[in-house]
Amino acid sequence: MSAQVLSGKQLASEKREDMKASVQALKEKGVTPGLAVILVGEDPASQTYVRNKQKACENTGIHSELIELPETTPENELLSRIEELNRDESIDGILVQLPLPSHISEQSVIEAIAPSKDVDCFHPTNVGKMMIGEEGFLPCTPHGILVMLKESGVDIAGKHAVIIGRSNIVGKPVGQLLLNEHATVTYCHSRTPNLREMTRQADILVVAVGRYGVVGGEDIKEGAVVIDVGMNRVEGKLRGDVEFESAKEKASLITPVPGGVGPMTITMLLDNTIHSARKRS
Ligand code: GUN
């Protein structure tokens, strides 16, 4: 069997067409959705991610504001910039690109963002709401994954979802969203013995580790759905965490890298920003 390749790029582009219309409708009511992105330092990968987010805003008609701060910015200066943006009525979403330099506490920064503008859904208030299934922002990558699964007709209820990775950005929340959709969820991580034994039981396998080749065809049950969240540069090429060629022979559905989860992440960021802007329309 060879899997169907699930193009996030195509789905993202369809969703963004609908979003353009939503933004236009808001503009007609005098509301232009606005996203502020803060980048501290000059990490090349972060610069690329931020540029892509800005381009996506531009294409959708969302106003985006990039605030670039030097690597040496003191934490209190960053916090006061966030407070200004919290008060700025033209800004509906605030995103501080992670990771931050080591002298800045990421948690303090996340908690300084007004929950009503926390389009990443990193603030403990919003994480808590997601956990109990209350309406509000959803985290971008996990939400993008959920939309991809639903749009490709994957039945989540009752399925065994195995997540590899337990980060606050992807692993933990994607498991939570799948649990909210009635999957049975298993989390695996660096201390999990017999990882293969676990991954072979997965109907839906989400791999979010950040290392190429963590999972290959041997580790996958015939017919599983494989979601690859990795973004690794291997010998100059962009690769996921999954060894795509061998995994494709076992899976029924698989996301590629690039062109899989990545474009959906940005699309969900736009979606959160538009939702936030609607509150002032
Ligand atoms: N760094 C890597 N992924 C993300 C993300 O989704 N949001 C932010 N703010 N930083 C990131």
Side-chain angles (χ1 to χ4, degrees):
M1 185 155 96
S2 188
Q4 183 192 334
V5 178
L6 182 47
S7 168
K9 196 172 166 188
Q10 192 186 331
L11 182 57
S13 122
E14 288 164 22
K15 296 271 170 213
R16 288 185 202 180
E17 282 308 311
D18 296 343
M19 287 176 184
K20 274 186 199 170
S22 306
V23 171
Q24 194 50 41
L26 278 167
K27 284 183 173 170
E28 278 160 21
K29 291 185 191 172
V31 173
T32 298
L35 174 71
V37 177
I38 303 181
L39 176 61
V40 184
E42 289 174 8
D43 176 66
S46 289
Q47 284 174 328
T48 304
Y49 294 145
V50 162
R51 208 175 313 124
N52 288 341
K53 287 169 186 174
Q54 282 216 292
K55 260 193 243 161
C57 281
E58 237 170 71
N59 286 335
T60 321
I62 295 174
H63 164 70
S64 80
E65 210 168 295
L66 175 62
I67 297 156
E68 285 180 288
L69 300 173
E71 182 86 24
T72 52
T73 304
E75 181 176 305
N76 60 4
E77 195 176 315
L78 176 56
L79 294 176
S80 54
R81 293 301 286 265
I82 292 170
E83 274 150 30
E84 274 170 37
L85 293 165
N86 283 341
R87 288 191 297 268
D88 185 337
E89 286 176 7
S90 70
I91 293 298
D92 300 290
I94 303 169
L95 180 150
V96 180
Q97 187 65 29
L98 303 179
L100 287 168
S102 57
H103 67 277
I104 300 178
S105 152
E106 285 189 353
Q107 207 49 36
S108 303
V109 168
I110 287 169
E111 291 182 26
I113 297 171
S116 62
K117 297 191 178 187
D118 169 37
V119 285
D120 264 325
C121 192
F122 290 168
H123 192 287
T125 297
N126 292 325
V127 175
K129 284 186 176 178
M130 174 198 58
M131 184 142 192
I132 61 174
E134 204 175 286
E135 200 165 311
F137 291 126
L138 293 178
C140 302
T141 301
H143 189 201
I145 292 170
L146 201 64
V147 170
M148 286 175 100
L149 291 173
K150 287 187 172 176
E151 296 273 344
S152 28
V154 175
D155 220 349
I156 301 169
K159 293 288 161 59
H160 186 193
V162 175
I163 320 293
I164 317 182
R166 53 173 161 177
S167 70
N168 288 341
I169 298 186
V170 182
K172 280 185 214 166
V174 77
Q176 190 62 55
L177 292 186
L178 291 168
L179 179 65
N180 291 355
E181 297 291 326
H182 316 291
T184 300
V185 179
T186 301
Y187 287 97
C188 300
H189 46 79
S190 51
R191 307 267 182 102
T192 304
N194 301 322
L195 184 63
R196 178 174 284 174
E197 211 172 277
M198 307 307 299
T199 58
R200 280 180 172 171
Q201 293 175 39
D203 301 310
I204 300 169
L205 181 63
V206 181
V207 193
V209 175
R211 190 154 37 88
Y212 174 64
V214 174
V215 162
E218 294 265 284
D219 308 303
I220 297 168
K221 180 166 85 175
E222 190 81 40
V225 174
V226 178
I227 306 290
D228 188 352
V229 191
M231 280 272 233
N232 309 294
R233 203 157 276 283
V234 181
E235 291 164 4
K237 274 195 173 164
L238 198 55
R239 299 236 189 237
D241 288 348
V242 176
E243 211 180 86
F244 185 78
E245 291 307 322
S246 62
K248 191 157 74 91
E249 296 310 311
K250 291 291 273 300
S252 61
L253 203 60
I254 187 168
T255 61
V257 176
V261 174
M264 287 304 288
T265 294
I266 298 185
T267 306
M268 295 302 115
L269 171 68
L270 305 176
D271 191 47
N272 278 345
T273 307
I274 295 168
H275 271 93
S276 181
R278 274 204 192 109
K279 299 220 164 81
R280 63 177 167 104
S281 71

